[in-house]
Amino acid sequence: MRATFLELIERKPLEEISIKEITDGAGLSYPTFFRRYATKNELLEEIATDEVHALISLGHAALNGEGQGSAFDLCSYVHAHRKLWTVLLNGGAAHIMRAEFARIAEELGHSGPRANPWLPVELAAPFVTSGIFEILAWWLRQPEDYPLDDIVALFDALIVDVAARPRIVPALSRDTKPDQP
């Protein structure tokens, strides 16, 4: 069903896709859909969650200050799946994607060393999440030939450089670091 749904999203707007089309394309009976999903949006939410996991795995190195290569990989992935990401971010799944991304980002922030330990994870996770999704949603509203390298440069300047490049902030001492016990 997922594969059929993704194929349909590539060809037509989400609101024009029926559950019957999904089940027919998958070679399943109509009631089979409802054994797994309550609505078409629930299927979309599952796909959105999987896409967030793919994005995080590609962007993890960039967000840990390990270079622009991962920013390029992340943006290339979205570019290669532009139609799906347009539906997800500018359609009905943006809030789910943001929440899942922020949840995972916060988990990762607490799981090991960070480039900027003075930056509270509870602030960094939603800040980075919002920035990434605002850049991607804006980009997907631009003409398809908008240069990928420009998006990578924006991502690097607005997200990676601001939140992930190691830096010392004199106003915050180690003793007042918010996420230390």
Side-chain angles (χ1 to χ4, degrees):
M1 283 188 284
R2 287 172 57 110
T4 300
F5 188 52
L6 291 172
E7 288 172 21
L8 289 167
I9 284 175
E10 291 291 323
R11 294 194 324 254
K12 59 197 300 187
L14 178 64
E15 58 276 355
E16 291 179 15
I17 299 171
S18 70
I19 292 171
K20 180 88 170 111
E21 282 180 287
I22 297 168
T23 55
D24 286 351
L28 300 168
S29 68
Y30 186 77
T32 301
F33 181 91
F34 295 100
R35 289 189 193 112
R36 175 95 192 238
Y37 307 104
T39 65
K40 179 176 60 174
N41 281 342
E42 195 173 296
L43 172 57
L44 185 66
E45 290 170 8
E46 180 180 278
I47 291 168
T49 299
D50 290 347
E51 288 297 303
V52 164
H53 287 264
L55 195 70
I56 285 201
S57 68
L58 292 167
H60 187 66
L63 297 175
N64 282 333
E66 297 172 18
Q68 193 176 14
S70 291
F72 181 81
D73 294 343
L74 181 148
C75 293
S76 293
Y77 179 82
V78 173
H79 183 67
H81 301 91
R82 183 181 180 93
K83 189 87 163 178
L84 172 62
W85 275 81
T86 299
V87 170
L88 293 172
L89 288 184
N90 298 321
H95 66 287
I96 290 153
M97 295 179 81
R98 285 175 185 256
E100 180 68 1
F101 192 97
R103 183 190 68 74
I104 294 169
E106 190 165 330
E107 273 179 21
L108 291 171
H110 287 297
S111 68
R114 297 180 295 125
N116 292 306
W118 54 266
L119 181 60
V121 172
E122 294 77 14
L123 173 62
F127 176 82
V128 168
T129 299
S130 293
I132 289 171
F133 282 91
E134 287 303 317
I135 291 168
L136 294 176
W138 175 83
W139 176 31
L140 294 170
R141 290 188 302 268
Q142 304 311 305
E144 285 193 38
D145 63 350
Y146 195 91
L148 176 63
D149 289 338
D150 288 1
I151 296 302
V152 172
L154 286 169
F155 185 89
D156 191 53
L158 297 174
I159 303 299
V160 176
D161 192 46
V162 171
R165 298 254 193 269
R167 69 184 71 212
I168 296 170
V169 177
L172 293 176
S173 71
R174 284 196 175 318
D175 295 333
T176 60
K177 189 171 71 173
D179 62 344
Q180 264 198 344

